Amino acid sequence: MVQTIKKQHRAFLFLLYTVLIFIFRIWYIRESSVLAIRNDEYGYWTHAALFTGHDWSDVFAGHMNWYSYGYSLVLTPLFLLTHNLHLMYRSAIVLNGIFGVLSFLLCFQCAKLLFAKAEQWLLLTVSFMVSMYSSYLTQGPIAWSETFLYFLVWLLLYLFLQFERHPSVSGAILLSFCMGACYITHNRTIGIVTAYLMVVLFLRLTDAIGWKLFAAMLLPLVIILFVNIDIKAYLCTIEGFGIKPKNGLGAQKEHLLSLLTLQGLQNLARSLSGQLWGLMTSTFGLLFWGLTHCASYILRAFHSKKTERHTTFYLFTLLACTGTFLVSAISLIDPASITNLDSDTDLTYFIYTRYDECIIGILLLLGFQELAFCPKNRRFLGLVLAQSIFYAAISFILHENLQQITDTWHYRSFCAAGIGFYRLFSESFSLRWCITIGCVGAAILLLILCIRPKRLLQLRPVLACLLLTAIFIPTGLYSAKIGTVHSQLGKVSSGNLAMFDLLKDVVGNRDVYCTLDDTKNYRIAYELQVNLIDTHVYSITFEDLPVGEEGYFICCSNGDLDSFEGDDYYMLTQSRYYVVVIKGDALMKELAPVVKQKLVNLNALE
């Protein structure tokens, strides 16, 4: 048995890591049976519904902004298999687990291509650590595009490495299509698209590729980008999103123009420093070492005037990371909360790293390799000093801005999950706790990887990986719990799900009118529509109800019960905040024998 394990240790490791990655991606699957309160989720599921013939535009029109449809194509088959939302949502979580495993496989393949001389069992362990990054785990219980996008970006990086090794027309076309798939899944990958276009142009200008490969690398992507414009316009029109400035280049143009002002540059510095601080803290400095790894290869090639192996890949990675960080920072400089700081400012705008997570994985891989295996010489000490100065600088910038904010509870943990470990020690956000934990973790990491005895040479990277993984797992799961699972459980405890289930049993082909409550909260209408997949739900105001008609259902807030005029309104079911009302005596008499509870006339309520 022992000999078998020794011979097949890589297979056992691979199987173990694969199972663990899948399990931790679906850790909360028993509790994740409903959509979390994220508009993004509703946007993706709305597209998927339309692709299968369900028109939800009367609910989402006018209230929802544009969301890309790439992930919706993944959700579409679920509508063809079942219309049980709980089962569909859990199936989407299982798909997250599968995408997590596939991302691990691609990370390992990239590691083998980049570090061919390294032991494969060690590359497996490093790839496992990368795949367990806390923000990746946090996205597991949410049925939105993030985990699928991580997989696509890893696929893009792998295809780029394969094309770099063996340039071919077929490889170039696959690479271009994958880049297009990333963009239609999330438009925030525009930074990666820009980096891709710059690298392709660079390769042509330096005669590294011919016109044939140049066309193969560009044409599919260009076609996808142009077709995407028409598809986006069609979906915005038919679903009622509308061609708003926020859905197009208008908002981006305003953001870019704002950079021409002193205030705009200050906002950009705040946003960018906050993101880099969050990523540096959550990765214990590996972000810096990953960027250093890319930059050092590029600089060596520039000075020697010779292209080293994978130099083009490192150039693409560095440009893609830089572009992603900038796009994310620019997209966040518009909110007034960044310009006019006060006690109630939304803290998330300063440490919003969710858009950066799609590219952070490759920096974790490259950063760990650079930190663990680079010679521990004078250059290494210089880089450690540079890392410390850089982290101190962005910490100072962030501190100078955040010290004006006192109500630091206002924080979306799923958007900056990597620094979620502070919540293990404090209910409110603590910059000092984050810096302390981040610095201590980075110091321990350096200590482990700088151990001199040769007998520990291969053991120290494993210990470092285990340390990082041991921090990533509880941090990621805890951030998922407080940021998503609690929101989902809140829906269950509010009684809304029971109300929806009862309505689903009796609604048939009748219409449901969902009125806006006093807070103009449209999300109850969203929840109602996704739970009643085949029902036509209308989102209207209470005053616009068709009082002259009958034979339909009304979902309204409990506070509206006193506003009904007439004697043909009956209460069907009620949750903590909302109530479902039957309109019409005939419908009431039809349903009375088939429901357990008594249908109460609203005039009889006190």
Side-chain angles (χ1 to χ4, degrees):
M1 181 66 175
V2 175
Q3 292 299 322
T4 302
I5 293 177
K6 286 183 177 181
K7 290 180 181 179
Q8 303 295 330
H9 65 283
R10 281 181 295 181
F12 280 110
L13 269 182
F14 174 78
L15 180 61
L16 174 64
Y17 292 156
T18 298
V19 171
L20 289 175
I21 289 170
F22 183 79
I23 288 176
F24 282 110
R25 288 297 192 287
I26 66 167
W27 188 261
Y28 291 112
I29 192 169
R30 288 184 299 175
E31 300 173 72
S32 300
S33 61
V34 296
L35 274 71
I37 47 174
R38 312 277 182 265
N39 281 355
D40 305 55
E41 284 186 290
Y42 295 121
Y44 299 133
W45 287 80
T46 298
H47 291 323
L50 180 67
F51 296 155
T52 53
H54 300 85
D55 181 10
W56 293 356
S57 59
D58 283 308
V59 169
F60 295 96
H63 308 324
M64 186 76 72
N65 290 312
W66 164 258
Y67 292 95
S68 298
Y69 56 89
Y71 178 61
S72 304
L73 298 174
V74 176
L75 298 176
T76 298
L78 300 181
F79 281 82
L80 302 176
L81 295 175
T82 179
H83 281 184
N84 184 322
L85 181 65
H86 307 323
L87 180 59
M88 294 167 69
Y89 199 86
R90 286 176 173 167
S91 298
I93 302 305
V94 171
L95 287 176
N96 281 348
I98 295 173
F99 291 136
V101 170
L102 294 176
S103 297
F104 165 65
L105 295 177
L106 290 169
C107 178
F108 175 57
Q109 293 300 322
C110 290
K112 287 200 301 181
L113 293 174
L114 291 168
F115 311 105
K117 295 181 180 180
E119 295 283 350
Q120 290 198 16
W121 65 270
L122 183 57
L123 294 180
L124 274 171
T125 302
V126 175
S127 300
F128 171 68
M129 178 271 294
V130 171
S131 300
M132 299 301 282
Y133 178 56
S134 50
S135 291
Y136 293 166
L137 298 184
T138 299
Q139 305 301 336
I142 313 178
W144 61 4
S145 65
E146 310 309 299
T147 305
F148 178 59
L149 182 61
Y150 303 153
F151 159 69
L152 287 179
V153 172
W154 274 115
L155 179 60
L156 177 72
L157 296 171
Y158 173 71
L159 291 175
F160 198 104
L161 282 170
Q162 288 287 21
F163 176 79
E164 191 179 48
R165 290 178 65 209
H166 306 294
S168 64
V169 172
S170 60
I173 292 175
L174 281 175
L175 184 60
S176 187
F177 269 114
C178 186
M179 185 70 264
C182 290
Y183 182 73
I184 67 171
T185 299
H186 207 303
N187 293 167
R188 299 295 182 188
T189 56
I190 187 64
I192 304 178
V193 173
T194 303
Y196 178 82
L197 295 174
M198 292 173 65
V199 169
V200 172
L201 183 60
F202 171 77
L203 292 175
R204 176 76 282 274
L205 292 176
T206 57
D207 291 325
I209 59 174
W211 287 105
K212 188 176 182 180
L213 286 179
F214 178 74
M217 293 183 77
L218 275 188
L219 281 181
L221 175 59
V222 171
I223 292 172
I224 290 173
L225 293 179
F226 275 101
V227 172
N228 178 68
I229 295 174
D230 291 333
I231 295 176
K232 180 177 179 179
Y234 172 76
L235 291 177
C236 283
T237 301
I238 196 171
E239 292 179 320
F241 295 116
I243 309 298
K244 305 174 184 176
K246 188 173 182 179
N247 295 337
L249 295 177
Q252 282 65 37
K253 183 181 69 174
E254 293 300 322
H255 283 139
L256 293 173
L257 289 177
S258 71
L259 299 180
L260 301 178
T261 65
L262 179 60
Q263 184 65 64
L265 290 175
Q266 290 176 348
N267 290 341
L268 180 62
R270 290 170 172 175
S271 180
L272 188 58
S273 63
Q275 289 180 78
L276 293 177
W277 176 86
L279 293 172
M280 282 283 289
T281 305
S282 65
T283 63
F284 303 97
L286 288 184
L287 170 77
F288 176 86
W289 292 96
L291 294 173
T292 298
H293 185 84
C294 296
S296 61
Y297 267 80
I298 297 169
L299 289 174
R300 277 203 302 268
F302 178 77
H303 286 298
S304 64
K305 297 182 180 180
K306 293 181 181 178
T307 303
E308 297 184 18
R309 188 181 184 188
H310 303 312
T311 301
T312 306
F313 174 80
Y314 289 129
L315 176 63
F316 172 62
T317 300
L318 186 62
L319 290 175
C321 292
T322 304
T324 301
F325 296 157
L326 285 174
V327 167
S328 182
I330 292 172
S331 69
L332 296 173
I333 65 176
D334 180 56
S337 58
I338 292 183
T339 303
N340 305 310
L341 297 177
D342 55 46
S343 61
D344 196 32
T345 293
D346 189 344
L347 181 69
T348 311
Y349 284 119
F350 290 93
I351 51 178
Y352 196 102
T353 57
R354 175 183 151 216
Y355 295 147
D356 304 319
E357 308 296 352
C358 66
I359 198 69
I360 193 67
I362 187 64
L363 291 182
L364 284 171
L365 175 63
L366 299 177
F368 187 86
Q369 291 292 328
E370 179 72 18
L371 181 59
F373 299 106
C374 72
K376 306 304 185 287
N377 51 23
R378 186 176 299 177
R379 173 181 174 274
F380 176 77
L381 293 176
L383 288 174
V384 172
L385 179 61
Q387 176 191 8
S388 303
I389 294 174
F390 176 71
Y391 186 64
I394 57 178
S395 297
F396 176 78
I397 294 173
L398 192 62
H399 178 266
E400 286 301 298
N401 289 285
L402 295 192
Q403 68 178 351
Q404 302 177 54
I405 305 173
T406 56
D407 296 334
T408 53
W409 59 270
H410 195 24
Y411 164 75
R412 287 169 282 176
S413 58
F414 63 91
C415 292
I419 58 172
F421 44 64
Y422 81 85
R423 283 185 178 265
L424 299 175
F425 303 93
S426 174
E427 285 298 319
S428 60
F429 178 78
S430 172
L431 188 67
R432 291 182 181 179
W433 265 119
C434 289
I435 292 176
T436 300
I437 298 172
C439 289
V440 170
I444 295 174
L445 199 61
L446 283 171
L447 183 64
I448 293 174
L449 295 174
C450 292
I451 295 175
R452 286 293 182 181
K454 291 185 177 180
R455 60 190 177 87
L456 297 176
L457 191 63
Q458 289 189 330
L459 182 59
R460 64 191 188 188
V462 175
L463 291 176
C465 284
L466 292 177
L467 170 66
L468 289 171
T469 306
I471 299 174
F472 288 160
I473 291 176
T475 301
L477 293 180
Y478 191 66
S479 294
K481 185 175 183 179
I482 63 176
T484 298
V485 176
H486 282 178
S487 297
Q488 295 168 329
L489 294 178
K491 289 189 176 185
V492 176
S493 63
S494 70
N496 285 0
L497 293 187
M499 181 177 71
F500 297 151
D501 288 340
L502 175 60
L503 183 55
K504 186 188 304 182
D505 291 338
V506 299
V507 68
N509 60 354
R510 300 175 183 87
D511 296 331
V512 177
Y513 291 90
C514 186
T515 65
L516 310 183
D517 62 15
D518 294 336
T519 61
K520 299 295 189 257
N521 183 2
Y522 303 108
R523 283 178 177 163
I524 184 64
Y526 300 167
E527 293 179 27
L528 191 63
Q529 181 63 88
V530 297
N531 279 274
L532 305 178
I533 293 175
D534 298 306
T535 301
H536 200 148
V537 177
Y538 297 86
S539 179
I540 62 174
T541 62
F542 187 87
E543 293 75 17
D544 292 330
L545 281 172
V547 293
E549 302 176 11
E550 62 177 30
Y552 59 84
F553 297 87
I554 305 166
C555 179
C556 62
S557 66
N558 287 325
D560 287 332
L561 286 177
D562 295 333
S563 303
F564 285 95
E565 297 180 359
D567 57 1
D568 59 345
Y569 292 97
Y570 301 85
M571 181 189 297
L572 174 66
T573 181
Q574 191 175 25
S575 69
R576 185 184 302 175
Y577 305 107
Y578 298 98
V579 60
V580 174
V581 175
I582 296 172
K583 174 62 164 71
D585 293 325
L587 180 57
M588 182 276 295
K589 293 177 181 178
E590 177 184 337
L591 297 181
V594 298
V595 296
K596 296 180 180 179
Q597 70 277 18
K598 183 180 179 181
L599 302 181
V600 181
N601 190 292
L602 296 189
N603 289 333
L605 294 177
E606 295 183 358

